[in-house]
């Protein structure tokens, strides 16, 4: 199945959110199972970009959180909405660890996802944090 770049970002956010919830609950992350559940298809059939961004997001999760945390005024990363956490981590991953990914596009995608999946004004927060962090 073919996916648009925006749809891939949305799927990556859903997968990353699932992983963050597993971590918060002390559960083991099952990458292949989570991909299969979100995509309704096997991990093997997942687009390469989707695998790349999610695996790199997990691999560099702590570095991304450290970078983001520097720009959270009066907030702790762990207290943020889990979807917002996933959106921020993926935006940093796209900019720092995916070759040729444009910063402005990463921020635009993050803002769009936060408008769709988080509280009413969270997109302003996401935009400000990423604008400073990236």
């Amino acid at each position: 199945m073919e996916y648009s770049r925006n749809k891939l970002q949305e799927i990556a956010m859903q997968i990353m959110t699932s992983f963050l919830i597993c971590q918060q609950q002390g559960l083991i992350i099952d990458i292949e199972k989570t991909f299969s559940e979100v995509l309704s298809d096997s991990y093997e059939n997942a687009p390469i970009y989707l695998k790349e961004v999610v695996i790199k997001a997990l691999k560099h999760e702590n570095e991304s959180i450290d970078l983001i945390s520097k720009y959270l005024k009066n907030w702790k990363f762990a207290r943020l909405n889990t979807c917002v956490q996933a959106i921020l981590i993926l935006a940093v991953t796209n900019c720092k660890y995916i070759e040729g990914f444009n910063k402005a596009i990463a921020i635009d995608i993050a803002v769009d996802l936060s408008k769709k999946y988080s509280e009413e004004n969270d997109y302003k927060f996401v935009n400000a944090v990423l604008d400073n962090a990236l």
Side-chain angles (χ1 to χ4, degrees):
M1 181 178 214
E2 289 293 317
Y3 297 97
S4 70
R5 189 70 154 202
N6 285 344
K7 185 63 178 173
L8 287 174
Q9 294 295 330
E10 185 173 346
I11 293 168
M13 188 269 316
Q14 293 168 346
I15 292 170
M16 194 66 198
T17 300
S18 294
F19 291 161
L20 291 170
I21 291 169
C22 285
Q23 288 174 348
Q24 291 165 0
Q25 296 177 352
L27 303 173
I28 295 172
I29 293 172
D30 186 333
I31 292 172
E32 291 186 17
K33 180 181 177 191
T34 304
F35 267 79
S36 295
E37 288 173 354
V38 173
L39 287 173
S40 301
D41 199 352
S42 69
Y43 175 79
E44 292 77 25
N45 292 334
I48 291 172
Y49 167 77
L50 184 60
K51 292 177 186 177
E52 179 184 18
V53 73
V54 171
I55 298 300
K56 285 184 177 181
L58 284 172
K59 182 178 178 184
H60 300 286
E61 179 181 353
N62 291 332
E63 294 102 318
S64 296
I65 291 170
D66 288 345
L67 175 64
I68 293 162
S69 294
K70 292 177 187 174
Y71 301 97
L72 298 178
K73 295 179 181 168
N74 303 317
W75 280 93
K76 298 272 187 228
F77 186 84
R79 292 199 59 227
L80 299 176
N81 172 301
T82 308
C83 285
V84 171
Q85 291 178 5
I87 290 166
L88 291 169
I89 290 169
L90 287 166
V92 170
T93 301
N94 278 319
C95 286
K96 299 275 184 195
Y97 306 108
I98 304 294
E99 190 173 323
F101 208 100
N102 182 289
K103 173 188 132 177
I105 292 172
I107 293 172
D108 285 346
I109 290 167
V111 167
D112 288 344
L113 287 172
S114 63
K115 284 179 180 177
K116 185 172 182 178
Y117 287 99
S118 61
E119 299 296 319
E120 187 176 324
N121 288 318
D122 281 353
Y123 75 93
K124 294 175 185 175
F125 173 80
V126 167
N127 186 49
V129 169
L130 290 176
D131 197 39
N132 289 317
L134 300 175

